[in-house]
Amino acid sequence: MAASSWRGAVLLRTVSGLWQAGPDAAREWMTRLPSLLGFQQRCVSCVAGPAFSGPRLASASRPNGQNSALDCFLGLSQPDNSLPFRVPAVSVHRDEQDLLLVHRPDMPENPRVLRVVLLGAPNAGKSTLSNQLLGRKVFPVSKKVHTTRSQALGVITEKETQVILLDTPGLISPAKQKRHHLELSLLEDPWKSMESADLVVVLVDVSDKWTRNQLSPQVLRCLTQFSQVPSILVMNKVDCLKQKSILLELTATLTEGVVNGKKLKTKQALRSRPDTHCPSPAAQGPNPQPVRDPQQMGWPHFQEIFMLSALSQEDVKTLKQYLLAQARPGPWEFHSEVLTSQTPEEICANMIREKLLEYLPEEVPYNVQQKTMVWDEGPSGELVIEQKLLVSKESHMILIGPKGYLIAQIAQEVGRDLMNIFLCEVQLRLSVKLLK
């Protein structure tokens, strides 16, 4: 057997074994395969043009031939509509991402589309749910409030249907925005999103006993102003509840005992009906706009209720199928290879900020400025990123950690997240500088 054939057979057996151990382990090892095979790894990129059909690699990195068995393992073969749903990667090059966003959609003969706005209080789990629906983590997630600082867009494309997710910042009051000196986008973006929405998903964290007993005044005001837009209620983090009977009370309160124009019965409150769709009165035709009662705690015009954990793939799959079923005939807005409207630099900055929020105390992470110094391709085809974290106080230098351990851990964790988004090897270097 020739040396190259023997090496290929060994690699294929290794990949098969790793895949059985889990896709994450296999994917991490696969990023090193090109150098083992004797050719330079190239980051997945999107090429715009008349014959554009998705991610391509430079021809120099395809010595095994197009659609080879190894390419199939690496996920480099050409798209096939008969294959299961595949989550696209994000280009590491900003210009390629920009071109893809404006490229003519490759929609089928009978396209369907749905624009979905996710509304909820800060830290309700909107970004976690968005990531699970998309099948890839592109939005930052942390336990601290205001992780999402501005509107971000995600795209799900399956067969003839495209669902556009608008992940909005948590709704806050103008007083809170001024008091905490928060960006104006936190106040304005959710309202702007509603203007083009086909469906509103209202997310409530049922594990938070301080906020779960009523919809926030900001959410209710938004639903009232855009009462013509159909809405559904998603009760998130139900796995954290020890007493499931609480869900009955919460459901009655948050819906005012009415769903789809019908009064809820006790048995109905714990049942989600994802396969049925009955328009609420607000969705059936033009009605006088409701006037919100200052004492109102819930919204009586939800079409449907879902009780789930955003961390559960099975729970989220049920919601995803419901969203796909609600899509209406209409042209796609994006090419099927678009996963998010964010630039690669924005994704990177957001992922770093996520870790800063996770590891740093109190107000420290909110006062860290980020500056990208290097964004380039390394000698072996890897993406090399160098970013400076600028702090204004000596006390904020705790970000470095003893012997630089904390900053190194953050860089390592963010690098792994970025590898899963860009599907290429990433070397991230972080440094901290005190502003004088």
Side-chain angles (χ1 to χ4, degrees), residues 131-147:
N131 288 333
Q132 286 282 59
L133 288 168
L134 291 170
R136 203 180 295 284
K137 181 182 176 182
V138 295
F139 300 130
V141 176
S142 83
K143 294 180 181 179
K144 294 185 179 177
V145 297
H146 309 312
T147 305

Side-chain angles (χ1 to χ4, degrees), residues 370-404:
Q370 299 170 240
K371 186 176 182 180
T372 300
M373 309 303 294
V374 175
W375 187 286
D376 205 356
E377 184 175 335
S380 299
E382 73 278 12
L383 174 62
V384 177
I385 306 170
E386 293 184 12
Q387 188 169 110
K388 278 187 179 179
L389 305 178
L390 310 175
V391 297
S392 56
K393 298 180 181 178
E394 183 75 36
S395 59
H396 292 178
M397 295 294 286
I398 60 170
L399 170 57
I400 299 174
K403 298 182 180 180

